[in-house]
Amino acid sequence: MAFQKAVKGTALIGGGAIATVFGLSQFSQYRNKHGAFVHVQAAEAVTVPIKNHFPTREQQILALQTTGEFDVLVIGGGATGCGCALDAVTRGLKTALLERDDFSSGTSSRSTKLIHGGVRYLQKAIMKLDFEQYKMVKEALEERANLLEIAPHLSAPLPIMLPVYKWWQLPYYWFGIKLYDLVAGSQCLKSSYVLSKSRALELFPMLRKDELVGAIVYYDGQHNDARMNLAIALTAARYGAATANYTEVLRLLKTTEAASGKERVCGVRCRDVLTGQEFDVKAKCVINATGPFTDSVRKMDDQEVPNICQPSAGVHIVMPGYYSPDNMGLLDPATSDGRVIFFLPWEKMTIAGTTDSPTDVTSHPIPTEEDINFILNEVRNYLSVDVEVRRGDVLAAWSGIRPLVTDPNSKDTQSISRNHVVTISDSGLVTIAGGKWTTYRAMAQDTIDAAVQAHDLKAGSSKTIGLQLQGAEDWSPTLYIRLVQDYGLESEVAQHLASTYGDKAYEVAKIAQVTGKRWPIVGKRLVSEFPYIEAEVVYGVKEYARTAVDMISRRTRLAFLNVQAAEEALPRIVDIMGKELNWSEQKKKEELEAAKKFLYYEMGYKVKSDQLTDSSEISLLPSDIERYKKRFHMFDKDKKGFITILDVQRVLESISVQIAENTLHEILNEVDLNKNGQVELNEFLQLMSAIQKGHVSGSRLAVLMKTAEENLRQRGVIPVDRSGGGL
């Protein structure tokens, strides 16, 4: 009864305010960007022919070297840079794009994976009567609808729950969320709704129930960010843009105008990072779309120009899927320090983040233990006491740098703009900075509009609204069934291929290897618990992947989902890439080491492994210590004080269990803290103590030794698969 009264009160409180804002939503100006109409409209507008296949990287490098002059040259292969290239090439402009690393290797692959307007920005817009913030949210909601339409295989609507723990918050949050729906207008994904306490717990059973009043559910979009970025790049390449990753800009080229005597940017000197070859690329217009590195390119143009980028680090963590429902996210609107935390299902795991702290600009941002623990503590505040939130369940962690900017055209140069900023220098360098993932297309449109005007380029208006991206054309929600029926793929693998490659999934399926099993017929997995298959590595090379890091982090998302699984898959990935790219044994070794270093520092493996060190404290009860010593001495029959692979093999043989020697090496290495090839008693006790405290989970050695102890009596089977737990 009280709940019903609150909802009725909410309607009365919010009704008048919503009516006031109703005019702001400008229903008469909503664009009809729906379904087939949009696709036909986009297809008819673009007169540039699209190729069935994108060129090889070698062909793209050759095009860069042999083309006399491009109309537009974009520096930066993130979402905005690739968006600029696609916008320019579909207007009929001769377009090039250079990226010194891999496409989406920076901020664009390290997002919260949301396609959203920004609920918190709308709150600020209303509270501060800030019309600019309101316009930013409205634009983002329009772009959200477009992005979900042009890449339905990579994106989908996601319900997000906002739990309410105080009665007065119910009308407050209800009003704000309904306003969010209202601003979206005809592009609202689904209408938000209020839930009772019992219904909220039914949909999100992990939620903390104490003092829970109810909940509000609203909808935003979710996507696979790195694959979306790649789809934009590949689409631009198919329309004829010369796009090349691992091509670094060394300096800007300039020419002096005869009439005015002014210096003008006319191209770049660049280097193929893979071969070391340097060459010039000429262009009428050069666009700087380098995100956090905006100022470094601006200073190539003018050393005296002041910095406009205000970099901010955002850390995310990934936890096992059982921490959240399969299809319901959670929003913490007010954390202990005023930040917003999302808790979302993603790729059958749970992603939580983000933090917001000043940082230096770097190509290799590293997540810190402090940020990871902050997120875990906030998660604990919202989950039931029955759910033990363990540090050991963090499977991966990463940091991304937000390129927040101050507008150089603004009188108040200290104010940070949450919107994007397009500037043109005296020498003609066009810079696009700021903004957010969701609005990449609008940012690209504004940038190319400015470039066309400033450089007098012959081009019409933007044609990218409704323009379908790579893989979207013949995709359908049931495409995966054809993959199962026609190729004999596992259902989980088929669903993954369809949602990753869209209608190009058939191309991956065609090159999938026969398993030799009754089922599945084709599709050898890289690791047992993830649906990534070996054929994706071969196809990834065609998609311009040139390093093992490209493959584990952006062609597949293994590194972002589970760093241990990624490390386990690395040797096979390197072998396959080595065959495709003709790597020497030395090159394969270098790639393996570089990828392990990436996992160790940038994907949280270091902070994971730091949970169990040779200085870790042992805090066990005396009875527990005795119990674990007995278990250890079952393996250490000679009372050496340590166990080796031979000791483990001897015990396993006594109970008729066989485990491959390389697997045993991996199992012991996880616990061998001083890396001397053996596990000492102290190391084993540190492991068991860390497991009890929740700092470590899923230790294969701990499971093996416990199960062996039981099997000496029962003669059962010992499981040795790596569990879903973290370290």
Side-chain angles (χ1 to χ4, degrees), residues 505-575:
Y506 294 111
E507 296 181 16
V508 182
K510 285 175 184 175
I511 59 175
Q513 285 185 304
V514 175
T515 64
K517 301 176 183 177
R518 182 183 62 80
W519 190 263
I521 298 171
V522 301
K524 291 184 178 179
R525 294 195 183 210
L526 289 167
V527 283
S528 60
E529 70 267 46
F530 288 94
Y532 301 110
I533 59 175
E534 292 182 358
E536 292 182 77
V537 181
V538 177
Y539 194 75
V541 172
K542 294 180 180 179
E543 293 180 319
Y544 306 135
R546 287 298 179 270
T547 70
V549 172
D550 296 345
M551 202 64 68
I552 61 174
S553 59
R554 294 175 286 276
R555 301 309 181 278
T556 72
R557 305 311 306 274
L558 262 177
F560 283 80
L561 296 170
N562 189 317
V563 289
Q564 285 181 278
E567 184 182 44
E568 185 179 308
L570 270 175
R572 185 61 187 141
I573 287 173
V574 169
D575 279 343

Side-chain angles (χ1 to χ4, degrees), residues 551-699:
M551 202 64 68
I552 61 174
S553 59
R554 294 175 286 276
R555 301 309 181 278
T556 72
R557 305 311 306 274
L558 262 177
F560 283 80
L561 296 170
N562 189 317
V563 289
Q564 285 181 278
E567 184 182 44
E568 185 179 308
L570 270 175
R572 185 61 187 141
I573 287 173
V574 169
D575 279 343
I576 297 171
M577 292 189 75
K579 290 177 183 176
E580 294 297 313
L581 296 168
N582 298 314
W583 286 347
S584 66
E585 288 302 315
Q586 179 61 29
K587 173 64 175 173
K588 288 163 68 172
K589 184 179 178 182
E590 290 171 359
E591 282 295 324
L592 195 59
E593 289 306 311
K596 286 182 177 180
K597 183 178 179 181
F598 168 78
L599 291 173
Y600 188 71
Y601 289 106
E602 295 185 50
M603 299 310 300
Y605 213 151
K606 182 181 186 299
V607 284
K608 284 164 70 69
S609 60
D610 285 349
Q611 298 306 303
L612 184 63
T613 68
D614 53 12
S615 61
S616 296
E617 181 184 352
I618 298 174
S619 54
L620 294 168
L621 294 174
S623 57
D624 288 335
I625 291 176
E626 286 305 310
R627 179 159 53 95
Y628 293 138
K629 278 183 177 180
K630 286 181 181 179
R631 186 175 299 170
F632 184 85
H633 288 138
M634 283 178 49
F635 289 78
D636 179 23
K637 289 287 187 183
D638 302 325
K639 301 292 190 293
K640 305 182 299 296
F642 61 85
I643 58 175
T644 65
I645 284 179
L646 292 176
D647 295 320
V648 177
Q649 284 176 328
R650 186 183 67 243
V651 173
L652 295 181
E653 285 172 5
S654 71
I655 56 176
S656 303
V657 172
Q658 288 186 336
I659 298 176
E661 188 172 338
N662 62 335
T663 302
L664 286 177
H665 269 293
E666 291 176 6
I667 291 172
L668 263 68
N669 193 53
E670 291 172 1
V671 187
D672 180 13
L673 302 177
N674 51 19
K675 305 304 176 189
N676 60 358
Q678 58 198 33
V679 174
E680 294 155 10
L681 174 59
N682 200 55
E683 290 174 326
F684 179 66
L685 293 176
Q686 286 172 321
L687 168 67
M688 302 314 296
S689 178
I691 289 173
Q692 280 199 9
K693 289 187 285 188
H695 294 169
V696 171
S697 63
S699 167

Side-chain angles (χ1 to χ4, degrees), residues 41-42 46-47 253 287 318 419 462 465 489 521 531 604 628 640 662:
Q41 191 179 48
V46 178
T47 57
L253 301 178
I287 295 174
V318 166
N419 212 331
S462 176
I465 292 178
L489 287 160
I521 298 171
Y628 293 138
K640 305 182 299 296
N662 62 335

Side-chain angles (χ1 to χ4, degrees), residues 461-514:
S461 59
S462 176
K463 314 237 179 349
T464 52
I465 292 178
L467 184 69
Q468 289 186 299
L469 300 181
Q470 169 89 349
E473 187 175 355
D474 293 320
W475 175 86
S476 74
T478 57
L479 184 147
Y480 80 95
I481 297 175
R482 287 284 306 277
L483 293 173
V484 175
Q485 294 174 336
D486 294 354
Y487 296 95
L489 287 160
E490 291 176 81
S491 181
E492 184 187 10
V493 171
Q495 289 180 56
H496 153 67
L497 294 181
S499 64
T500 301
Y501 303 94
D503 60 18
K504 304 302 176 187
Y506 294 111
E507 296 181 16
V508 182
K510 285 175 184 175
I511 59 175
Q513 285 185 304
V514 175

Side-chain angles (χ1 to χ4, degrees), residues 39 137 175 221 289 308 335 340 345 445 520 540 542 557 647 651 679 683:
H39 300 153
V137 173
F175 167 66
I308 61 170
T335 63
V340 171
Q445 177 179 324
K542 294 180 180 179
R557 305 311 306 274
D647 295 320
V651 173
V679 174
E683 290 174 326

Side-chain angles (χ1 to χ4, degrees), residues 174-486:
W174 180 87
F175 167 66
I177 294 299
K178 277 301 174 187
L179 200 58
Y180 193 61
D181 289 350
L182 186 64
V183 174
S186 62
Q187 292 152 358
C188 179
L189 301 180
K190 289 184 181 180
S191 182
S192 59
Y193 53 92
V194 179
L195 292 174
S196 65
K197 175 180 179 177
S198 60
R199 182 62 177 150
L201 291 171
E202 183 181 335
L203 292 175
F204 208 120
M206 309 84 174
L207 203 59
R208 177 169 64 87
K209 59 186 74 173
D210 298 343
E211 300 180 1
L212 182 68
V213 172
I216 300 166
V217 175
Y218 73 100
Y219 287 80
D220 256 325
Q222 188 178 51
H223 69 154
N224 185 336
D225 53 4
R227 293 294 315 185
M228 185 73 80
N229 194 154
L230 184 63
I232 301 166
L234 296 178
T235 306
R238 288 180 60 198
Y239 273 108
T243 58
N245 57 350
Y246 293 104
T247 310
E248 181 181 12
V249 171
L250 302 175
R251 64 177 182 273
L252 301 179
L253 301 178
K254 293 188 177 182
T255 185
T256 303
E257 288 183 342
S260 63
K262 283 186 177 181
E263 277 195 331
R264 304 287 289 178
V265 174
C266 63
V268 301
R269 178 72 174 178
C270 62
R271 179 174 66 92
D272 183 341
V273 175
L274 303 180
T275 65
Q277 184 182 14
E278 294 186 13
F279 54 93
D280 292 342
V281 181
K282 296 291 185 69
K284 296 173 184 173
C285 171
V286 175
I287 295 174
N288 172 17
T290 53
F293 301 94
T294 293
D295 289 322
S296 62
V297 176
R298 293 175 73 238
K299 289 183 185 297
M300 287 184 186
D301 179 37
D302 179 3
Q303 280 289 337
E304 303 303 317
V305 72
N307 289 345
I308 61 170
C309 187
Q310 305 287 327
S312 171
V315 170
H316 294 82
I317 63 174
V318 166
M319 306 177 77
Y322 54 71
Y323 272 95
S324 65
D326 290 341
N327 193 38
M328 178 70 75
L330 185 75
L331 168 64
D332 176 358
T335 63
S336 56
D337 66 350
R339 293 184 277 198
V340 171
I341 288 285
F342 285 99
F343 193 61
L344 312 167
W346 183 68
E347 299 287 323
K348 298 189 177 179
M349 294 295 179
T350 302
I351 184 173
T354 178
T355 59
D356 189 356
S357 53
T359 185
D360 295 326
V361 176
T362 173
S363 299
H364 308 287
I366 297 172
T368 66
E369 185 64 23
E370 181 183 0
D371 284 329
I372 291 171
N373 283 322
F374 168 79
I375 296 171
L376 287 174
N377 286 332
E378 293 302 325
V379 169
R380 288 188 186 101
N381 291 338
Y382 273 85
L383 294 190
S384 168
V385 292
D386 298 332
V387 179
E388 184 185 358
V389 180
R390 303 181 299 182
R391 173 61 181 83
D393 283 338
V394 176
L395 305 175
W398 68 87
S399 176
I401 301 178
R402 298 185 196 89
L404 305 179
V405 293
T406 53
D407 187 351
N409 301 319
S410 171
K411 292 180 181 178
D412 181 9
T413 57
Q414 296 303 309
S415 62
I416 292 178
S417 173
R418 289 285 176 176
N419 212 331
H420 60 272
V421 175
V422 179
T423 64
I424 302 173
S425 71
D426 292 340
S427 63
L429 176 68
V430 179
T431 294
I432 169 67
K436 54 194 290 188
W437 222 121
T438 306
T439 59
Y440 85 91
R441 193 213 61 82
M443 294 165 65
Q445 177 179 324
D446 290 349
T447 305
I448 302 303
D449 282 347
V452 167
Q453 183 177 0
H455 292 271
D456 196 26
L457 303 176
K458 306 303 178 189
S461 59
S462 176
K463 314 237 179 349
T464 52
I465 292 178
L467 184 69
Q468 289 186 299
L469 300 181
Q470 169 89 349
E473 187 175 355
D474 293 320
W475 175 86
S476 74
T478 57
L479 184 147
Y480 80 95
I481 297 175
R482 287 284 306 277
L483 293 173
V484 175
Q485 294 174 336
D486 294 354

